[in-house]
């Protein structure tokens, strides 16, 4: 079976891991600091908080923005539940906006229509790694003084105009996920990039109970007054060590992935029963997913299964779940595309022979 996802692990990691697990310090320490510096360097953003999950990054951002009961957050329904559930964790309402047919990202016109006086934040998701219309989104939100959070769980290495996703040029926060099957994994973890220093300083406290880990201590910080309660969302040195090893090969893995995507773009164009997602010149996807529209998706999936090619929709639309039925609304474009979309293997493990085989199998029809 050609898998849709594969866990990347740098073979070099073994030695470094053994060293850290026997070092006497496995919690948040020097390795986390080193991992954060590498991320800061890569994304030109010095305000990087390494966390135990990307989901925690979204939750921290909403907490820092003061989102709470009676407020709402506008977002897309086409995403992992991890995008939406932090809104519920803060007791706020979800207002779903529709997606664009051309790229499956949030439609900024629909987004604008969903914003009202109770909207406290907008969360956008770069579907499969393809960047949203960030300049339009940020302009609309800035005019209304509404902060923007980017869920960039799929978008490690994606670029938009003159920026790299993660530098917060067009947002207040950008979250990344380093969960097992993401472009960069650190076993499990994530990061929250902040645009502003005060968010970063506050986030450092909130990720660890509200306690200042950097200040001087007399008795294991027993003397410290906690001014604001926080969570246990910090990354540990063991996970950071894996992240530090894996990030060394991220460039070559991304290159193979983007090259595979280009191959599909060139070779699936015009194939009967297939429609490619459009791409713009001003942005580059990291292609965590390569999504296409297909006619008769059930037949397509059956045929690919018979050929040993794993395909999937990957995420169910969030508004389908009964726990959020109160927020259900009309999303005509999503209603249409949800029945056609499917993802095919594209990542670093897909060889030239694999991708040719996938294209040939699709061209046979289903
Ligand atoms: C779009 C999206 N947002 C958020 C997350 C959550 O990230 P994490 O698993 O690191 O909490 C994921 C996937 O895991 C995701 O696909």
């Amino acid at each position: 079976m050609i898998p849709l996802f594969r866990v990347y692990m740098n073979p070099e990691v073994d030695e470094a891991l053994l060293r850290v697990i026997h070092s006497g310090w496995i919690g948040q320490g020097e390795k986390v600091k080193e991992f954060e510096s590498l991320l800061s360097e890569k994304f030109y953003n010095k305000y990087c908080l390494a966390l135990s999950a990307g989901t925690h990054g979204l939750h921290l951002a909403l907490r820092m923005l003061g989102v709470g009961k009676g407020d709402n957050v506008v977002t897309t329904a086409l995403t992992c539940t991890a995008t939406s559930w932090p809104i519920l964790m803060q007791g706020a309402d979800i207002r779903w906006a529709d997606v664009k047919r051309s790229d499956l990202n949030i439609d900024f016109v629909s987004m604008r229509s969903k914003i009202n006086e109770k909207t406290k934040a907008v969360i956008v998701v770069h579907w499969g790694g393809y960047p949203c219309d960030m300049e339009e989104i940020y302009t609309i939100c800035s005019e209304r003084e509404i902060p923007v959070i980017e869920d960039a769980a799929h978008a490690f290495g994606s670029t938009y105009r003159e920026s790299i996703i993660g530098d917060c040029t067009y947002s207040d926060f950008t979250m990344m996920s380093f969960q097992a099957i993401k472009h960069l994994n650190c076993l499990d973890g994530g990061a929250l990039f902040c645009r502003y220093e005060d968010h970063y300083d506050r986030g450092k406290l909130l990720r660890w109970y509200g306690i200042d880990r950097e200040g001087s201590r007399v008795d294991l910080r027993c003397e410290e007054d906690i001014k604001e309660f926080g969570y246990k969302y910090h990354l540990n040195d063991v996970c950071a060590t894996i992240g530090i090893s894996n990030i060394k090969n991220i460039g070559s893995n991304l290159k193979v992935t983007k090259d595979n995507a280009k191959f599909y773009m060139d070779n699936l164009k015009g194939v009967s029963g297939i429609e490619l997602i459009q791409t713009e010149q001003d942005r580059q996807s990291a292609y965590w997913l390569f999504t296409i529209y297909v006619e008769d998706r059930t037949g397509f999936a059956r045929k690919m299964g018979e050929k040993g090619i794993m395909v999937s929709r990957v995420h169910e639309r969030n508004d389908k779940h009964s726990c959020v039925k109160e927020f259900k609304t009309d999303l005509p474009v999503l209603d249409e595309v949800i029945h056609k979309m499917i993802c095919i293997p594209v990542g670093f493990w897909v060889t030239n022979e694999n991708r040719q085989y996938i294209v040939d199998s699709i061209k046979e029809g289903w």
Side-chain angles (χ1 to χ4, degrees):
M1 182 69 91
I2 303 172
L4 194 54
F5 299 113
R6 180 165 287 172
V7 173
Y8 176 75
M9 200 53 71
N10 186 341
E12 270 181 21
V13 78
D14 301 27
E15 218 179 286
L17 259 184
L18 276 177
R19 237 180 289 125
V20 75
I21 62 176
H22 295 294
S23 69
W25 191 287
I26 55 176
Q28 183 191 329
E30 287 306 312
K31 291 292 166 189
V32 171
K33 245 191 229 164
E34 187 182 337
F35 187 41
E36 285 178 334
S37 310
L38 291 170
L39 292 167
S40 285
E41 210 176 288
K42 178 138 195 72
F43 295 107
Y44 306 99
N45 188 335
K46 56 186 173 179
Y47 304 135
C48 169
L49 297 164
L51 303 169
S52 44
T55 312
H56 298 159
L58 291 178
H59 185 218
L60 269 187
L62 294 172
R63 165 81 187 275
M64 288 197 267
L65 294 173
V67 172
K69 213 169 162 38
D71 301 329
N72 71 61
V73 176
V74 175
T75 190
T76 172
L78 184 61
T79 181
C80 174
T81 47
T83 311
S84 308
W85 285 190
I87 302 170
L88 306 179
M89 286 160 78
Q90 284 303 102
D93 294 343
I94 303 171
R95 273 169 79 83
W96 313 111
D98 211 345
V99 295
K100 279 164 65 198
R101 199 186 183 289
S102 56
D103 61 18
L104 294 165
N105 282 334
I106 196 165
D107 178 343
F108 65 82
V109 178
S110 171
M111 178 201 83
R112 184 170 48 207
S113 74
K114 300 288 174 169
I115 290 173
N116 65 17
E117 69 288 349
K118 292 185 175 167
T119 304
K120 281 285 161 56
V122 165
I123 304 178
V124 300
V125 177
H126 306 298
W127 175 264
Y130 188 75
C132 297
D133 300 311
M134 289 315 301
E135 194 161 352
E136 287 82 354
I137 289 166
Y138 195 56
T139 303
I140 292 166
C141 292
S142 300
E143 281 165 7
R144 293 157 179 77
E145 294 185 12
I146 295 171
V148 177
I149 302 167
E150 291 173 83
D151 177 336
H154 301 177
F156 191 107
S158 300
T159 55
Y160 172 81
R161 299 192 179 163
E162 76 295 352
S163 69
I164 184 162
I165 300 297
D167 68 7
C168 293
T169 299
Y170 299 101
S171 66
D172 297 73
F173 296 98
T174 303
M175 174 281 267
M176 287 197 191
S177 166
F178 309 135
Q179 170 265 347
I181 55 170
K182 293 294 167 9
H183 279 306
L184 174 69
N185 89 75
C186 68
L187 201 73
D188 209 355
L192 184 67
F193 292 91
C194 309
R195 183 184 176 93
Y196 299 110
E197 187 174 9
D198 56 341
H199 283 147
Y200 169 70
D201 288 340
R202 193 170 162 212
K204 272 200 282 189
L205 299 177
L206 294 185
R207 75 171 155 181
W208 203 63
Y209 302 120
I211 300 173
D212 183 1
R213 293 173 71 93
E214 292 173 351
S216 59
R217 57 180 162 172
V218 179
D219 180 12
L220 290 175
R221 302 185 185 88
C222 290
E223 74 283 7
E224 188 177 320
D225 175 44
I226 296 173
K227 295 180 184 65
E228 194 182 14
F229 83 89
Y231 313 98
K232 190 165 187 284
Y233 284 175
H234 68 287
L235 194 69
N236 64 57
D237 270 13
V238 179
C239 289
T241 298
I242 295 174
I244 291 165
S245 270
N246 285 346
I247 206 170
K248 288 183 189 155
N249 284 339
I250 191 78
S252 50
N253 287 352
L254 281 170
K255 190 171 175 306
V256 174
T257 304
K258 289 177 186 176
D259 192 48
N260 285 338
K262 184 172 181 322
F263 182 83
Y264 290 143
M265 285 294 198
D266 293 343
N267 289 278
L268 289 175
K269 204 191 293 169
V271 173
S272 171
I274 297 282
E275 200 186 320
L276 294 173
I277 304 288
Q278 285 168 28
T279 55
E280 304 276 348
Q281 289 296 323
D282 65 353
R283 63 201 83 176
Q284 167 76 59
S285 177
Y287 286 107
W288 186 64
L289 301 173
F290 191 89
T291 312
I292 53 177
Y293 293 141
V294 292
E295 284 169 18
D296 177 19
R297 185 177 54 202
T298 310
F300 179 87
R302 191 186 315 113
K303 169 76 189 283
M304 292 302 117
E306 285 163 10
K307 286 283 190 177
I309 301 163
M310 188 184 166
V311 297
S312 172
R313 283 188 296 140
V314 182
H315 294 308
E316 178 55 284
R317 57 188 290 173
N318 284 193
D319 58 342
K320 200 178 163 192
H321 300 290
S322 51
C323 63
V324 283
K325 59 179 183 298
E326 67 195 280
F327 306 123
K328 192 110 183 94
T329 186
D330 282 346
L331 301 172
V333 180
L334 185 55
D335 290 345
E336 185 212 335
V337 297
I338 199 76
H339 300 292
K340 297 181 175 179
M341 53 175 290
I342 199 145
C343 307
I344 60 175
V346 70
F348 67 88
W349 59 94
V350 176
T351 63
N352 288 2
E353 293 73 35
N354 289 157
R355 69 192 193 186
Q356 187 63 58
Y357 173 74
I358 291 170
V359 166
D360 292 344
S361 301
I362 293 173
K363 283 183 174 168
E364 281 173 17
W366 53 94

